[in-house]
């Protein structure tokens, strides 16, 4: 097995950097003003393409009968579509929309433009078209969203992008693979998972592996690859030279091994049993390796927490940035703050830019490699795919990460929720929620809620 020779750049390339793929079909009827219908269609297409974030799949012209709609559906059927946007350029009956919805396995958005009241001819009657479409879809049990806005409305364009991002996350989940190395520790019920229910909801496949696969690779990782990885890491992390070098190199060997396995076996994320065997059998900490992998867009959860890794994938694919699984270890209700902490596996890109990240040892086991830094200030979205009540639900929330000193050794952050911390604390305890929570930077709440709707996941809001 050849070691990875860089600590930079995504390991699973193209997942969130590729443009959003929107299936675009403009419906009309020749009995209405087709010249105006073509004009508004050109406007909305231009507005979407001007974002630089999308590609439009499907026919460029107006689709005006069932046969043409079926041909459009056939052209889109096998394409990796993130959102099916049916643009109601003029009135049309529901048969074309229903045919498209049945054929294209993507979230559906209906969009009709308002029409100016001129006292003359009703030239488009587009709203009646999406109203009729909504009725037909509802009767068929097909979900949809809608817009009733002008073709150049900025908020409407943003909603299209938001739904497409959520649709991409749902699409990627359907083909996602997670490598689970080892089993969760006894007594850690939040780290268990229901594979059948998870597959039915999301399509995610869990591949069970042995920790020995990692340990064997870590022990035999080519010295030149470990040297190269260490050299690159020293440019970002201070204090590595002062750590026990054989143990440090084993962590880096584990990183190289896991990176290779993720690439070779197409794992989108990893769930790793990090203790006690990493310490007792390999002689190092897993934390640093998982930090580096998460930073390269292969999210990792400790304690073999599959639900945590799935949550991180959701957040990563919505934000386009790394996600982090952490514990909530304390609340200061007087200061309206919560403390997030984990041993030392946060992605380095989440470090406060005013703090030099440093390598350290595990606070209990006294072995490297852990990353040590406070989380950077900024807006965060938090989530957790939970089975606390039996069936899967998605816990969601948001808040502001504050600039604060390190709370405890390792990686930590001080969070002010959008809701008073006492209420958040009460909800966590009353609902018996998991001890792990995941976060990514930015406000992605609307996209997260849209993804939950697409997956049919009930939502519990912390904020």
């Amino acid at each position: 097995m050849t070691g990875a020779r860089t600590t930079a750049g995504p390991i699973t390339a193209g997942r969130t950097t590729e443009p959003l793929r929107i299936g675009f079909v403009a419906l009309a009827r020749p009995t209405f003003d087709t010249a105006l219908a073509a004009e508004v269609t050109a406007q909305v297409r231009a507005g979407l393409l001007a974002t630089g974030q999308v590609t439009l799949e499907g026919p460029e012209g107006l689709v005006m009968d069932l046969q043409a709609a079926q041909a459009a559906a056939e052209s889109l059927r096998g394409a990796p579509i993130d959102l099916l946007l049916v643009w109601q350029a003029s009135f049309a009956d529901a048969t074309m929309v229903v045919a498209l919805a049945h054929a294209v396995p993507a979230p559906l958005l209906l969009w009709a433009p308002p029409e100016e009241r001129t006292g003359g001819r009703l030239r488009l009657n587009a709203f009646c078209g999406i109203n009729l479409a909504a009725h037909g879809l509802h009767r068929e049990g097909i979900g949809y969203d809608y817009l009733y806005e002008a073709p150049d409305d900025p908020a409407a364009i943003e909603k299209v992008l938001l739904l497409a991002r959520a649709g991409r996350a749902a699409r990627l989940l359907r083909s996602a693979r997670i490598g689970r190395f080892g089993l969760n520790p006894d007594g850690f019920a939040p780290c268990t998972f229901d594979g059948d229910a998870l597959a039915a909801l999301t399509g995610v496949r869990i591949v069970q592996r042995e920790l020995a696969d990692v340990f064997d690779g870590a022990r035999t990782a080519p010295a030149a690859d470990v040297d190269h990885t260490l050299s690159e890491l020293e440019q970002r992390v201070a204090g590595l030279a002062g750590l026990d070098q054989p143990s440090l190199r084993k962590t880096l060997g584990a990183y190289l091994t896991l990176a290779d396995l993720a690439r070779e076996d197409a794992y989108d994320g990893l769930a790793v049993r990090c203790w006690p065997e990493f310490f007792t059998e390999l002689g190092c900490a897993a934390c640093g390796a998982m930090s580096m992998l998460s930073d390269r867009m292969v999210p990792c959860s400790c304690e073999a927490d599959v639900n945590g890794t799935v949550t991180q994938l959701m957040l990563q694919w919505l934000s386009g940035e790394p996600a982090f699984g952490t514990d909530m270890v304390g609340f200061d209700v007087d200061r309206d703050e919560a403390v997030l902490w984990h041993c030392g596996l946060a992605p380095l890109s989440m470090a406060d830019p005013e703090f030099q990240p440093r390598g350290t040892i595990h606070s209990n086991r006294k072995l490297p490699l852990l990353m040590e830094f406070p989380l950077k200030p900024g807006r965060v979205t938090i989530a957790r795919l939970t089975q606390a009540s039996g069936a899967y639900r998605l816990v969601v929330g948001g808040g502001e990460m504050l600039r604060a000193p390190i709370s405890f050794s390792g990686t930590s952050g001080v969070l002010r929720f959008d809701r008073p911390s006492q209420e958040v604390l009460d909800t966590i305890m009353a609902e018996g929620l998991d001890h792990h929570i995941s976060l990514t930077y930015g406000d992605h709440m609307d996209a997260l809620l849209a993804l939950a709707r697409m997956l049919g996941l009930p939502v519990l809001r912390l904020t």
Side-chain angles (χ1 to χ4, degrees), residues 40-82:
V40 294
T41 299
Q43 281 183 283
V44 76
R45 287 181 64 93
L48 290 167
L49 293 172
T51 66
Q53 299 181 48
V54 306
T55 60
L56 299 181
E57 315 284 340
E60 292 190 18
L62 299 176
V63 172
M64 292 193 282
D65 57 47
L66 181 58
Q67 184 178 0
Q70 289 169 335
E74 191 59 33
S75 71
L76 294 172
R77 186 191 300 271
I81 298 299
D82 300 321

Side-chain angles (χ1 to χ4, degrees), residues 120-241:
R121 180 189 179 192
L122 183 61
R123 300 168 69 188
L124 298 177
N125 197 23
F127 175 74
C128 194
I130 63 165
N131 190 174
L132 192 59
H135 178 84
L137 294 166
H138 197 71
R139 287 177 66 115
E140 294 279 327
I142 299 172
Y144 58 89
D145 209 324
Y146 84 95
L147 280 167
Y148 181 54
E149 303 290 348
D152 57 353
D153 183 82
I157 296 289
E158 184 54 42
K159 181 172 181 178
V160 173
L161 297 178
L162 180 149
L163 291 175
R165 283 195 294 273
R168 178 174 62 185
R171 173 172 64 83
L172 293 176
L173 283 169
R174 286 197 297 271
S175 61
R177 286 162 52 89
I178 291 174
R180 183 181 187 235
F181 291 85
L183 306 177
N184 55 277
D186 292 340
F188 282 66
C191 299
T192 61
F193 69 100
D194 183 334
D196 291 339
L198 189 60
L201 274 170
T202 66
V204 173
R205 179 185 171 194
I206 312 303
V207 182
Q208 186 66 51
R209 301 289 298 263
E210 299 298 325
L211 278 175
D213 296 340
V214 183
F215 295 169
D216 291 345
R219 294 187 183 105
T220 59
D225 292 341
V226 175
D227 290 341
H228 183 81
T229 302
L230 177 57
S231 177
E232 286 195 330
L233 192 60
E234 285 176 329
Q235 299 175 32
R236 303 180 69 188
V237 178
L240 297 179

Side-chain angles (χ1 to χ4, degrees), residues 9 14 91 100 144 163 179 222-223 236 247 274 281 286-287 308 315 361:
F91 174 83
L100 285 160
Y144 58 89
L163 291 175
R236 303 180 69 188
S247 295
C274 51
E281 296 183 23
C287 312
L315 292 174
I361 59 174

Side-chain angles (χ1 to χ4, degrees), residues 382-384 386 388-389 392-397 419 427-428 430-434 437 445 448-449 452 457-463:
I382 64 173
R384 173 69 189 184
T386 182
S389 297
Y392 273 110
R393 292 184 294 171
L394 188 63
V395 179
V396 302
R419 183 179 171 196
T427 300
I428 291 169
E431 294 282 346
L433 295 183
D434 315 49
I437 196 80
M445 178 64 75
L448 189 60
L449 293 173
L457 268 171
V459 169
L460 172 63
R461 299 190 67 145
L462 284 181
T463 61

Side-chain angles (χ1 to χ4, degrees), residues 9 25 31 33 46 52 67 93 103 123-124 140 149 164 179 229 260 269 292 308 342 350 355 361 372 415 421 453:
V25 183
T31 49
D33 189 336
Q67 184 178 0
D93 67 57
R123 300 168 69 188
L124 298 177
E140 294 279 327
E149 303 290 348
T229 302
D260 279 342
M292 296 162 70
H342 230 272
M350 291 187 179
F355 186 93
I361 59 174
E372 185 164 72
L415 177 64
S421 61
R453 290 195 300 273

Side-chain angles (χ1 to χ4, degrees), residues 92-387:
D93 67 57
T95 56
M96 292 192 287
V97 170
V98 172
L100 285 160
H102 276 302
V104 182
L108 174 60
L109 174 65
L110 310 174
W111 186 357
E115 192 162 353
E116 185 179 354
R117 288 179 282 178
T118 64
R121 180 189 179 192
L122 183 61
R123 300 168 69 188
L124 298 177
N125 197 23
F127 175 74
C128 194
I130 63 165
N131 190 174
L132 192 59
H135 178 84
L137 294 166
H138 197 71
R139 287 177 66 115
E140 294 279 327
I142 299 172
Y144 58 89
D145 209 324
Y146 84 95
L147 280 167
Y148 181 54
E149 303 290 348
D152 57 353
D153 183 82
I157 296 289
E158 184 54 42
K159 181 172 181 178
V160 173
L161 297 178
L162 180 149
L163 291 175
R165 283 195 294 273
R168 178 174 62 185
R171 173 172 64 83
L172 293 176
L173 283 169
R174 286 197 297 271
S175 61
R177 286 162 52 89
I178 291 174
R180 183 181 187 235
F181 291 85
L183 306 177
N184 55 277
D186 292 340
F188 282 66
C191 299
T192 61
F193 69 100
D194 183 334
D196 291 339
L198 189 60
L201 274 170
T202 66
V204 173
R205 179 185 171 194
I206 312 303
V207 182
Q208 186 66 51
R209 301 289 298 263
E210 299 298 325
L211 278 175
D213 296 340
V214 183
F215 295 169
D216 291 345
R219 294 187 183 105
T220 59
D225 292 341
V226 175
D227 290 341
H228 183 81
T229 302
L230 177 57
S231 177
E232 286 195 330
L233 192 60
E234 285 176 329
Q235 299 175 32
R236 303 180 69 188
V237 178
L240 297 179
L243 300 175
D244 178 77
Q245 294 302 296
S247 295
L248 169 62
R249 293 178 69 85
K250 287 175 183 173
T251 297
L252 298 182
Y255 158 73
L256 292 169
T257 302
L258 287 168
D260 279 342
L261 290 169
R263 187 167 38 241
E264 294 167 4
D265 295 339
Y267 298 140
D268 296 282
L270 306 175
V272 181
R273 180 183 173 99
C274 51
W275 62 268
E277 288 85 358
F278 262 83
F279 301 107
T280 59
E281 296 183 23
L282 189 58
C284 68
C287 312
M290 292 194 283
S291 166
M292 296 162 70
L293 286 159
S294 292
D295 208 41
R296 296 186 65 191
M297 306 296 273
V298 179
C300 297
S301 288
C302 64
E303 295 161 354
D305 180 9
V306 166
N307 291 337
T309 303
V310 176
T311 310
Q312 288 168 247
L313 280 173
M314 291 178 180
L315 292 174
Q316 174 180 288
W317 284 335
L318 291 175
S319 69
E321 297 184 6
F324 169 43
T326 181
D327 293 349
M328 279 185 282
V329 298
F331 284 82
D332 187 331
V333 296
D334 293 330
R335 300 177 66 171
D336 196 24
E337 296 172 353
V339 178
L340 309 181
W341 169 88
H342 230 272
C343 307
L345 56 74
L348 283 167
S349 55
M350 291 187 179
D352 187 330
E354 295 187 359
F355 186 93
Q356 172 61 59
R358 58 195 180 219
T360 190
I361 59 174
H362 193 277
S363 56
N364 297 329
R365 305 283 181 157
K366 308 304 181 185
L367 288 170
L369 169 68
L370 279 67
M371 307 302 186
E372 185 164 72
F373 55 81
L375 298 180
K376 64 186 178 183
R379 183 75 190 172
V380 296
T381 302
I382 64 173
R384 173 69 189 184
L385 187 63
T386 182
Q387 294 175 271

